[in-house]
Amino acid sequence: MPANLPPEYIEAELRFRAAKSPEEKLATLRELMALVPKHKGTEKLRVELKRKWTKLQEEVQHQQKKKQKGGRGHGYDHIAREGAGQIALVGLPNCGKSSLLAAVTNAKPEIAEYPFSTFRPTVGMMPFEDVQLQLVDLPPISEFTEPWVYSIIRQCDLVALLVDLASETPVEDFFTALEWLEKSRIRLIGHTANPLPSEGVVKRALVIGTKSDAEHAAHHLQELRSVTEGQFRVIGVSTVSAEGLWELGKALFAGLNVVRVYTKKPGQPFKKELPYVLPAGSTVTDVARAIHKDLAEKFAYARVWGSAEFPGQRVERHYIVHDGDLLEFHE
Ligand SMILES: Nc1nc2c(ncn2[C@@H]2O[C@H](COP(=O)(O)OP(=O)(O)O)[C@@H](O)[C@H]2O)c(=O)[nH]1
Ligand SMILES: [Mg+2]
C-alpha cells in the first residue's frame, strides 16, 4: 500500500535532514511523526520514525546528563525566577507562543509556520509599568512533549494558556490543552477560584486567545469566554495588529497576584525607586523582612501612604499592604 505522504511531510523531512544538533533533529522528527497520516500504508514508516525518535531522545538525554556532570547547565528543568513573577506560555503546536514572546519582550525565539519549531525554553522580560514580567516560551504540549516542559510549568507562578483563535476548533483546542496538563497532573484554576485540595499541582492561569486579527477570531473569542464561564480571564491578542498587547501586561500582572510596595526613610522626601514585589496578603513585617531581616525584628511600627485611611497613618506589624503603598519604618 502506498504511503501517500502529504507535501508538508516532504518539507519537514528536508528540515529533518538539514538539522544539525540532536535536539534540533528530535524537534523536527517530532514534527514528522505528527505529519504522517495514520493508516496501514504508513505503518512501517511510523515504526521506523518511532525507533529513530527513541534513539535520538536517548542521545539528547545522555548529552544533557554529561553537561550536568561537567557543571555546565542543568538540562532545562528549572529556570531561575527574575522580575515580578515567572509566567509560562503554554499551548498546542503553532498557537503563537513564540510570536507573542517576540512581540512583548526583547527575546528572539524561533517563529515558524510549522509546528515544533521551539525545542528549548526561551526567556524574555516584558516591561509592565515599573516592573518586569518573566515570560517563558516552551515547546508545545502534545503527545511528544518531554517531561521537562511540565516541570517548568509546575514551577511557574502563572500559566498563560494560549489558544489559537485562527484555529477552526478553538474550544476543542482549549480542552485538549487542559487534558494534556491533567495527564501530567497539572490542574489550572482561574484568578478568583480558591485551590481545592487535589492530586498533583494546581496552577493559576489565564487564557490568551491569539491571532485575534484572524477571520473568525471575534466569534471564537466569544465561544471561549462562554465555555470558561467566568472561571478564567480570557483576553484576545494579535501580534500582527498589536491588539490586546497593552491589556495583556495588566492581565498578567493581575494574574501574578503580587503587590508593589515603595519605601522611604522617615523625614526624607519620597524618591521614586523600584518597588519591592511581594505576594498579595503580605504584611508590613513581610516588607521589612524583604528589605533586611534585622529591620523585621527591630521596627516598632510603620507609616503607610496609599491604602491607609489617611496619608501617613501609623500601622502595626500585621497591617496588610496593598499594591502601590508607600511605607516608612520607625524603630
Ligand atoms: N495572523 C496571525 N498570525 C500569527 C499571529 N501570531 C503568530 N502567528 C503565526 O502563527 C504561526 C505560529 O507561530 P509561532 O509563534 O511559531 O507559534 P508557536 O509554535 O506556538 O511558538 C506562525 O506562522 C506565525 O506567523 C498573530 O497574531 N496573527
Ligand atoms: Mg514556538
Side-chain angles (χ1 to χ4, degrees):
M1 201 184 267
N4 274 337
L5 296 166
E8 300 87 56
Y9 180 90
I10 314 290
E11 241 177 67
E13 190 175 330
L14 291 176
R15 271 201 300 278
F16 172 66
R17 287 179 193 201
K20 293 201 179 66
S21 71
E23 283 159 342
E24 208 177 332
K25 275 194 182 300
L26 195 62
T28 43
L29 189 55
R30 225 171 272 152
E31 198 191 326
L32 278 184
M33 290 165 78
L35 285 169
V36 184
K38 291 196 174 65
H39 59 71
K40 196 109 186 85
T42 59
E43 212 170 272
K44 251 174 82 184
L45 176 64
R46 280 180 286 143
V47 171
E48 172 69 7
L49 290 176
K50 180 83 205 234
R51 197 185 54 78
K52 269 192 197 157
W53 189 62
T54 313
K55 211 172 135 223
L56 260 172
Q57 203 178 22
E58 275 166 13
E59 200 177 317
V60 168
Q61 275 166 5
H62 180 70
Q63 274 196 352
Q64 282 179 357
K65 275 206 191 105
K66 243 174 43 192
K67 268 191 201 161
Q68 275 173 26
K69 278 202 187 123
R72 293 184 292 126
H74 307 275
Y76 301 130
D77 278 7
H78 176 76
I79 290 169
R81 177 173 285 99
E82 274 178 58
Q86 190 175 82
I87 300 158
L89 303 182
V90 176
L92 303 185
N94 258 334
C95 66
K97 299 177 292 298
S98 301
S99 302
L100 187 62
L101 184 80
V104 297
T105 75
N106 289 331
K108 301 210 166 24
E110 181 107 13
I111 294 167
E113 279 163 23
Y114 52 88
F116 305 106
S117 50
T118 303
F119 50 90
R120 60 185 94 189
T122 311
V123 178
M125 301 304 288
M126 174 180 188
F128 171 71
E129 295 179 352
D130 55 358
V131 291
Q132 305 262 336
L133 314 176
Q134 186 185 36
L135 303 191
V136 184
D137 181 24
L138 294 168
I141 47 176
S142 72
E143 58 192 303
F144 309 114
T145 306
E146 289 166 61
W148 65 261
V149 175
Y150 293 110
S151 347
I152 291 181
I153 299 173
R154 280 190 203 100
Q155 291 168 63
C156 74
D157 299 310
L158 177 72
V159 168
L161 184 62
L162 276 66
V163 179
D164 185 347
L165 298 175
S167 153
E168 278 166 24
T169 53
V171 170
E172 218 176 291
D173 298 352
F174 166 73
F175 286 114
T176 306
L178 287 191
E179 267 168 41
W180 286 122
L181 292 168
E182 296 254 349
K183 275 194 190 133
S184 296
R185 299 157 66 86
I186 300 172
R187 201 161 61 82
L188 301 187
I189 58 161
H191 189 48
T192 49
N194 279 322
L196 293 169
S198 93
E199 275 184 61
V201 180
V202 177
K203 284 278 137 191
R204 293 234 177 249
L206 60 78
V207 176
I208 302 176
T210 56
K211 314 187 193 178
S212 69
D213 57 283
E215 198 178 346
H216 301 291
H219 174 62
H220 287 157
L221 188 64
Q222 256 180 359
E223 276 185 340
L224 262 184
R225 286 202 169 120
S226 71
V227 295
T228 55
E229 283 169 21
Q231 199 200 339
F232 293 100
R233 180 157 186 193
V234 184
I235 58 171
V237 303
S238 165
T239 56
V240 172
S241 70
E243 184 191 354
L245 295 183
W246 183 79
E247 194 194 349
L248 178 70
K250 268 174 87 98
L252 291 176
F253 181 76
L256 283 173
N257 215 14
V258 292
V259 291
R260 290 164 294 182
V261 180
Y262 306 81
T263 57
K264 79 176 201 68
K265 294 221 164 70
Q268 285 183 12
F270 170 57
K271 268 202 327 255
K272 181 113 183 164
E273 275 170 13
L274 290 182
Y276 289 92
V277 179
L278 290 106
S282 295
T283 63
V284 286
T285 312
D286 296 326
V287 180
R289 198 173 296 121
I291 299 170
H292 196 280
K293 71 176 188 334
D294 291 347
L295 180 64
E297 274 156 34
K298 71 186 182 197
F299 85 97
Y301 66 93
R303 290 194 184 280
V304 177
W305 285 258
S307 68
E309 247 167 77
F310 59 87
Q313 186 181 344
R314 177 176 165 154
V315 298
E316 301 308 321
R317 299 179 67 93
H318 297 299
Y319 181 84
I320 290 176
V321 291
H322 288 74
D323 189 42
D325 276 356
L326 170 63
L327 291 188
E328 191 181 86
F329 287 95
H330 292 260
E331 291 178 15

